[in-house]
């Protein structure tokens, strides 16, 4: 069996950057057009040089694909389900069967998770006591990513779809147990990345390719609806959910086109353009002179002795929760006015890393690059990479495994 791998880090990153700024501008909110304008200027200053990296997509030929031992897969899946059960019990006090039943009954699993998390004092639990649960969660994510990579590389000779489902379900159950949607987002990103990297659609006949392409487009449009359906469970009925016209930083202000479509845009803007909201106000304060000193590298971190730097300054003026504050804030805290250069170098380095990893290929190349993609997506949106212990552990594990494992020299085509 032969595989052809294509570089896709730039393509995915570029589409994501355009999506983020476009969503920030068109979202039906009460954020003033002047603030949105500051966000657009900030985006251009920081990210426009990234688009200069566009070049011809590199393709690498793997003349033979080694199938994976199914005995190891069975053992790995068994351990993954055990780890998923342990992580769910530790963080939510529930079990996989209870999660499934609760999901069908429409129980507010997010509130149950929050209540248990607070009552059990997990936030204040020592790192040593939390380490087994962190490792268990990391392993579930590790096998989910590896299984998707192997599936699209066609390394499973038998029962490939069954293996994929069995490896993805435990990670999905963790998201359901916590009542969160981020796990769905990660699964979707993995699907996009792996299909693009291996040219999954190109290897099919035209009819099947067309059917799957249409199904993929429908899935993209269904994601906001699935997110809303998942969030509605936190309310007594749907009317209460749709009557909630404000979050902690801005409110829903429809244009009058289609309520449900516009509300879906509003909900997406809460999670994917909140970073641009913070950065819009940050740039506004800088231009007004109030935060001009923040452009001095390391000003807050060392001169002011504030470890969290610009993040804390932003959070003094706006409500910061979950993973809303983008990773680019960390870059600005350390590098100030030189942040544009650093952002450019991060994207440039990621693209060069992709070329190196694909040309020196092994079983852990694509999973490693998946986490590179997740990191790049987090830069303008949130800190969902840097605050996730399981993501950091998986990234480190795949990088180490890629380094120490035997590599094939793939030729460019």
């Amino acid at each position: 069996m032969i595989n052809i791998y294509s570089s896709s880090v730039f393509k995915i990153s570029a589409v994501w950057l355009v999506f983020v700024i476009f969503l920030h501008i068109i979202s039906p909110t009460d954020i003033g057009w002047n603030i949105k304008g500051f966000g657009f200027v900030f985006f251009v200053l920081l990210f426009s040089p990234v688009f200069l990296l566009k070049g011809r997509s590199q393709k690498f030929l793997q003349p033979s694909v080694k199938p994976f031992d199914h005995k190891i897969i069975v053992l790995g899946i068994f351990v993954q389900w055990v780890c998923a059960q342990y992580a769910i019990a530790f963080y939510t006090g529930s079990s996989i069967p209870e999660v499934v039943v609760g999901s069908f009954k429409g129980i507010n699993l997010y509130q149950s998770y929050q209540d248990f998390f607070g009552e059990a004092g997990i936030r204040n639990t020592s790192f040593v006591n939390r380490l087994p649960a962190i490792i268990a969660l990391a392993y579930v994510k590790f096998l989910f990513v590896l299984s998707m990579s192997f599936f699209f590389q066609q390394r499973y000779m038998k029962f490939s779809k069954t293996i994929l489902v069995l490896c993805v379900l435990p990670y999905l159950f963790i998201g359901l147990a916590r009542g969160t949607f981020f796990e769905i987002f990660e699964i979707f990103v993995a699907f996009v990345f792996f299909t693009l990297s291996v040219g999954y659609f190109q290897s099919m006949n035209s009819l099947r390719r067309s059917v799957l392409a249409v199904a993929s487009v429908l899935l993209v449009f269904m994601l906001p609806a699935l997110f809303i359906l998942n969030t509605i469970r936190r309310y007594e009925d749907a009317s209460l959910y749709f009557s909630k016209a404000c979050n902690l930083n801005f409110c829903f202000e429809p244009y009058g086109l289609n309520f449900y479509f516009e509300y879906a845009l509003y909900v997406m803007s809460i999670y994917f353009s909140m970073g641009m909201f913070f950065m819009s106000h940050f740039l506004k304060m800088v231009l007004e002179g109030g935060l001009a000193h923040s452009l001095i590298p390391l000003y807050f971190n060392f001169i002011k002795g504030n470890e969290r730097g610009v993040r804390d300054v932003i959070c003094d003026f706006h409500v910061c929760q979950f993973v809303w504050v983008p990773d680019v804030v960390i870059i600005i805290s350390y590098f100030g006015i030189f942040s544009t250069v650093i952002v450019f170098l991060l994207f440039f380095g990621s693209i060069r890393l992709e070329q190196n990893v694909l040309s020196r290929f092994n079983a852990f190349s694509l999973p490693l690059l998946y986490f590179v993609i997740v990191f790049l997506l987090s830069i303008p949106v949130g800190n969902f990479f840097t605050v996730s212990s399981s993501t950091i552990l998986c990234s480190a594990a795949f990088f180490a495994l890629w380094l120490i494992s035997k590599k094939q020299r793939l030729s460019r085509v």
Side-chain angles (χ1 to χ4, degrees), residues 9-241:
V9 166
F10 173 80
K11 289 184 287 188
I12 295 175
S13 301
V15 170
W16 179 252
L17 289 174
V18 172
F19 165 76
V20 168
I21 188 59
F22 186 68
L23 180 64
H24 174 66
I25 292 174
I26 71 165
S27 59
T29 67
D30 62 351
I31 301 173
W33 286 103
N34 61 326
I35 299 299
K36 290 184 177 182
F38 281 117
F40 179 77
V41 171
F42 171 80
F43 178 89
V44 171
L45 289 174
L46 270 180
F47 296 105
S48 58
V50 171
F51 291 89
L52 299 175
L53 295 171
K54 182 179 180 181
R56 191 176 70 86
S57 178
Q58 301 288 334
K59 292 188 176 182
F60 299 85
L61 174 67
Q62 186 181 30
S64 61
V65 181
K66 184 179 179 181
F68 203 73
D69 189 342
H70 282 65
K71 294 179 182 178
I72 299 177
I73 294 172
V74 172
L75 177 61
I77 293 174
F78 174 77
V79 174
Q80 186 193 28
W81 280 77
V82 171
C83 287
Q85 172 58 50
Y86 177 78
I88 289 172
F90 181 87
Y91 287 109
T92 71
S94 187
S95 65
I96 291 178
E98 289 171 337
V99 168
V100 175
V101 173
S103 297
F104 280 111
K105 288 185 176 180
I107 294 174
N108 187 349
L109 295 175
Y110 177 79
Q111 188 60 53
S112 300
Y113 160 58
Q114 292 292 321
D115 291 342
F116 179 84
F117 197 87
E119 292 169 3
I122 295 176
R123 191 179 304 278
N124 300 319
T125 303
S126 68
F127 178 77
V128 173
N129 290 333
R130 286 187 286 119
L131 186 58
I134 292 172
I135 293 174
L137 187 58
Y139 179 77
V140 175
K141 180 178 289 191
F142 178 93
L143 201 61
F144 137 64
V145 174
L146 189 64
S147 69
M148 287 199 75
S149 174
F150 281 6
F151 173 81
F152 288 108
Q153 292 182 65
Q154 303 180 68
R155 288 180 181 265
Y156 300 133
M157 302 308 294
K158 298 179 181 178
F159 314 113
S160 59
K161 294 182 178 63
T162 302
I163 292 170
L164 179 65
V165 170
L166 288 175
C167 290
V168 172
L169 273 179
Y171 195 61
L172 184 62
F173 286 144
I174 288 174
L176 289 174
R178 298 193 293 193
T180 56
F181 199 74
F182 186 69
E183 290 76 12
I184 301 293
F185 173 73
E186 288 185 298
I187 292 171
F188 174 72
V189 172
F191 172 80
V192 171
F193 171 69
F194 291 125
T195 53
L196 286 178
S197 295
V198 302
Y200 188 67
F201 291 144
Q202 281 72 24
S203 62
M204 302 175 179
N205 60 54
S206 57
L207 177 61
R208 191 179 179 191
R209 188 189 312 145
S210 301
V211 171
L212 283 178
V214 171
S216 300
V217 171
L218 290 175
L219 177 62
V220 171
F221 285 102
M222 284 175 58
L223 285 176
L226 291 173
F227 176 82
I228 289 174
L229 289 173
N230 179 65
T231 313
I232 284 177
R233 295 188 303 168
R234 304 177 189 179
Y235 299 81
E236 292 183 9
D237 56 61
S239 61
L240 287 175
Y241 173 77

Side-chain angles (χ1 to χ4, degrees), residues 4-9 58-62 193 197-198 351-362 365-366 369 402 408-412:
I4 297 178
Y5 302 99
S6 300
S7 54
S8 57
V9 166
Q58 301 288 334
K59 292 188 176 182
F60 299 85
L61 174 67
Q62 186 181 30
F193 171 69
S197 295
V198 302
I351 293 171
R352 292 298 299 270
L353 174 65
E354 178 186 39
Q355 294 174 355
N356 186 35
V357 168
L358 290 179
S359 63
R360 301 171 62 220
F361 197 85
N362 60 32
S365 293
L366 292 188
L369 292 176
W402 178 79
Q408 287 180 275
R409 284 283 183 179
L410 302 189
S411 56
R412 293 184 183 182

Side-chain angles (χ1 to χ4, degrees), residues 292-309 333-334:
H293 48 277
S294 64
L295 298 180
I296 301 173
L298 302 174
Y299 177 84
F300 286 106
N301 300 77
F302 288 95
I303 298 175
K304 287 290 186 180
N306 187 336
E307 291 183 3
R308 302 180 76 180
S333 290
Y334 281 94

